[in-house]
Amino acid sequence: MEVRKHAILSASSSYRWLNCPPSVSLSEGVSDEVSEFALEGTDAHTLCEYKLKCALDLIDGDHHLPKLEWYSEEMEECANGYVAFVLEKIEDVKKDGKDPIVLIEQRLDYSNFVESGFGTGDCLIIADGTLHIIDYKHGRGIQVDANENSQMMLYALGALELFGFLYDINEVTMTIYQPRRSNISTFKMSSSDLYQWANNVLKPIAKLAHIGEGEFKAGDWCQFCKVKTTCRERANENMRLARLEFLDPPLLEDSEIEEILQKVDEVVEWVNDVKDFALRQAIKGKKWKGFKLVEGRSNRKYSDEEKVAKQVEQAGFNPYEMKLLGITEMQKLLGKTKFTELLDGLIVKPPGKPTLVLESDKRPEYNPAKADFMTNEEEN
Ligand code: SF4
């Protein structure tokens, strides 16, 4: 499968290298394992591209769709949603009396600001002074915010470099479409502000990153760094918490617990990264002083399920249990329309378990009274 090509100072990794420029040279030569999530994302992009081109009559439906190894009904629904969203955007632009130019999977070159920098924009809509950039995200892990998102800003810059002088663009609208998180996030910026950022912030940092200079700085961007496990700066940053002196009085103060909570997720992530790395190396034969590799716990299982069922049936017992299908499986069985028709009013969403998060999190504050009320309602 063809995975999208990326520049070294790529738009998708810009959040990391803008915060930690020397991470680029430190990662040089470190191999990058392509995850299953990345392969699934590539397939989803291919499907989105194909469907959008069909919808815009740029190719006909008989056009050969590349084989999608990770195809699923969910992916199909996501791609349909994406196409509907883009078509709606195009209609909105037309309503304003503008005749838009639509570009799909457009290579965007921002090398005037970042050495050899380029990326690929999923969809660009250009009409009368405005540029819309829509980026499809298939991931469901991290919710991506378009607000001052450097990846989107680099795409926008590449698009302005390419089309700015032809279409006199003075405003850019950048949208992240992330269906598996029900997230549509949009950020607007004037092209003059974008160029100001490009000249004053981007260009100098990209220069440092290119020559392997600048300061190491650890933060949540480390999770995307190829040397995140062995990086000393990240280790130091996380060990700083362990070195905090919580001596007097014997019990921790609220303010100290708050301080720990601020950092604890990153510390746990770092510790797990180090443990994963050490285990993978040990499996490859590396000996860590004071440690050894042993077999983990395992559960009993049938070696041949068919044979087991047959033996039990022959002995006069029923080896099977009858279970209601889960919601996803049931929807697959019935199809979306029948599912809604038959089960309308029978699907509920109980309140999730309370979770402590940073105040900046976008979710509304947990309301215990509302949760109690909903639980009692369900019990009645
Ligand atoms: S792990 Fe973090 S601090 Fe270390 S080089 Fe990578 S981005 Fe920089």
Side-chain angles (χ1 to χ4, degrees), residues 16 20 23 26 216-218 221-222 225 227-228 231 233:
R16 173 181 50 78
C20 179
S23 64
L26 199 64
F216 285 105
K217 190 174 162 203
W221 49 86
C222 293
C225 184
V227 293
K228 65 179 181 180
C231 170
E233 177 62 27

Side-chain angles (χ1 to χ4, degrees), residues 24-42:
V24 177
S25 54
L26 199 64
S27 311
E28 238 170 75
V30 179
S31 62
D32 200 5
E33 282 173 26
V34 181
S35 71
E36 293 188 348
F37 299 117
L39 294 171
E40 189 187 18
T42 305

Side-chain angles (χ1 to χ4, degrees), residues 309-322:
K310 207 167 158 192
Q311 300 272 59
V312 176
E313 270 172 342
Q314 277 170 0
F317 298 95
N318 179 4
Y320 299 104
E321 64 171 343
M322 212 155 83

Side-chain angles (χ1 to χ4, degrees), residues 218-279:
D220 62 350
W221 49 86
C222 293
Q223 61 187 302
F224 308 112
C225 184
K226 283 199 261 180
V227 293
K228 65 179 181 180
T229 324
T230 46
C231 170
R232 189 170 302 280
E233 177 62 27
R234 188 179 182 218
N236 283 341
E237 178 63 27
N238 284 295
M239 290 302 280
R240 219 162 279 158
L241 177 73
R243 282 201 293 269
L244 283 179
E245 290 192 13
F246 299 121
L247 292 179
D248 253 346
L251 296 179
L252 290 176
E253 304 278 343
D254 285 359
S255 60
E256 290 168 314
I257 291 180
E258 281 154 11
E259 194 173 350
I260 294 170
L261 286 173
Q262 287 281 344
K263 285 292 295 172
V264 80
D265 286 347
E266 260 171 51
V267 176
V268 168
E269 202 175 303
W270 169 67
V271 169
N272 285 334
D273 284 343
V274 174
K275 281 175 77 178
D276 274 1
F277 171 78
L279 174 64

